[in-house]
Amino acid sequence: MPELPEVETVRRGLQPVMEGAKILNAEARRPDLRFPFQPDFVARLKGQVVTGLGRRAKYLMADLASGDVLLMHLGMSGSFRVIKPDDEAQPGEFHYPKAKDSAHDHVLFRMSSGADIVFNDPRRFGYMKVIARNALEDEPLLRGLGPEPLGNEFDAAMLARSCQGKTTSLKAALLDQRVVAGLGNIYVCEALHRSHLSPRRIAATLSTKAGQRKGVAGGEPTDHAKRLVGAIHTVLNDAIKAGGSSLRDHRQTTGELGYFQHSFKVYDREGEKCTTPRCGGMIKRFVQNGRSTFWCPKCQK
């Protein structure tokens, strides 16, 4: 499942050809993806100018001049590719050929910028929905999402408050989209390792003892919380610069793979030596809340 860096990478790839351009034509080539398309899906897109292209958690959000917002989710295998009449771009170092199986090209946007934007999704777990901007706060898909981990509001104090009184594991808390939006299994494992915190640690330990008693105000963020927030910022920014992580399906809009997977410290490195200086530990794997967790028991406490 693409996480925040992969979705942000796609957003940056689409922005030059989508933002400020008019949707000359839109095609939904099947009646549904994960959910059925709205009956007026195409009609609400045709002729509309995309005034802005943003991201919320793992969602792409295209603001339209009509006051609507096109909400897009990549699902497990969804990808966008940009096709131009003179598209002769040379493949990058980490290249994945553009999909040739047009049977999975389910949505097409023809833009006034001269580009065709194609959404390809073999497993059809992605989805799109047009929502009135003034109804976004009531949208079930978005309601209850926590702060953006790269936003100005997200800091150690906010994370400590969100984890105050939680007896769940720290990893489970970070995967809860109500605590922080956009994080997934890969980047939680990586951030916990870089902050030297165990995925089994109780989430409430991110606040001082006064804050660990549920309902009691005044808990301050511990050093653990400060280290963790710093690690989350670093890991996400580094991954975005690398174009995300391509383990199976993710690719950039140019067809290139992301390559942050070459910088993993723990994820998918079971049985390898820990890269922390002077640690000497080995990366272990265990199943936690139905997901694989990778960590170093020696340096993550």
Side-chain angles (χ1 to χ4, degrees):
M1 182 74 74
E3 300 180 26
L4 186 153
E6 289 74 50
V7 179
E8 178 62 21
T9 297
V10 172
R11 187 195 72 81
R12 295 183 183 189
L14 293 177
Q15 189 174 28
V17 295
M18 202 170 192
E19 198 168 78
K22 180 183 290 188
I23 302 174
L24 300 178
N25 191 32
E27 296 179 26
R29 295 176 173 175
R30 54 176 298 111
D32 59 7
L33 291 173
R34 184 173 179 180
F35 308 121
F37 287 108
Q38 297 150 297
D40 59 352
F41 177 78
V42 168
R44 291 172 71 175
L45 297 177
K46 279 187 177 181
Q48 291 301 317
V49 173
V50 178
T51 59
L53 184 63
R55 178 192 54 76
R56 178 71 171 107
K58 301 174 186 179
Y59 294 94
L60 291 168
M61 301 176 68
D63 283 290
L64 307 177
S66 62
D68 283 336
V69 176
L70 171 60
L71 190 72
M72 299 172 280
H73 195 285
L74 297 174
M76 297 182 69
S77 63
S79 64
F80 285 94
R81 69 183 188 273
V82 175
I83 303 172
K84 298 179 181 178
D86 58 348
D87 193 354
E88 306 244 345
Q90 295 299 312
E93 182 179 359
F94 301 99
H95 184 260
Y96 193 105
K98 292 184 178 181
K100 295 181 179 179
D101 191 350
S102 59
H104 301 306
D105 288 349
H106 301 312
V107 182
L108 179 141
F109 304 118
R110 178 150 292 157
M111 309 300 297
S112 63
S113 60
D116 285 351
I117 299 171
V118 179
F119 181 67
N120 183 281
D121 189 2
R123 301 187 197 178
R124 300 201 305 274
F125 275 94
Y127 47 92
M128 297 185 188
K129 184 177 182 180
V130 181
I131 308 165
R133 171 153 283 284
N134 59 15
L136 283 179
E137 290 186 4
D138 298 321
E139 171 55 44
L141 295 171
L142 301 174
R143 191 168 55 233
L145 286 177
E148 289 288 322
L150 294 178
N152 293 332
E153 295 181 354
F154 182 71
D155 58 16
M158 172 173 277
L159 182 58
R161 286 194 301 272
S162 297
C163 291
Q164 184 173 316
K166 287 187 177 293
T167 58
T168 58
S169 70
L170 186 50
K171 186 188 177 192
L174 293 175
L175 288 176
D176 185 343
Q177 298 300 292
R178 296 167 298 180
V179 172
V180 56
L183 292 182
N185 197 41
I186 293 174
Y187 299 107
V188 168
C189 287
E190 290 294 307
L192 287 172
H193 178 262
R194 296 179 193 215
S195 57
H196 305 297
L197 296 176
S198 168
R200 290 189 167 112
R201 172 181 282 275
I202 299 300
T205 60
L206 294 188
S207 64
T208 58
K209 290 184 178 180
Q212 292 177 30
R213 297 190 295 275
K214 191 172 183 179
V216 178
E220 296 293 329
T222 62
D223 287 340
H224 303 317
K226 295 173 184 176
R227 291 206 313 269
L228 180 55
V229 167
I232 290 171
H233 287 160
T234 298
V235 167
L236 293 180
N237 281 315
D238 287 350
I240 290 169
K241 290 178 183 176
S245 301
S246 294
L247 300 183
R248 179 179 294 178
D249 297 302
H250 168 65
R251 71 193 76 169
Q252 301 180 55
T253 56
T254 59
E256 290 182 74
L257 291 175
Y259 55 94
F260 188 69
Q261 64 272 17
H262 302 287
S263 300
F264 287 167
K265 303 294 185 185
V266 287
Y267 191 83
D268 206 26
R269 294 189 62 242
E270 181 183 10
E272 298 181 31
K273 289 184 178 180
C274 178
T275 59
T276 301
R278 299 181 296 279
C279 172
M282 300 290 289
I283 305 303
K284 304 290 186 182
R285 172 190 171 274
F286 69 97
V287 177
Q288 190 176 24
N289 300 110
R291 306 293 299 276
S292 291
T293 293
F294 298 90
W295 71 312
C296 174
K298 187 172 181 180
C299 70
Q300 289 180 252
K301 303 298 182 181

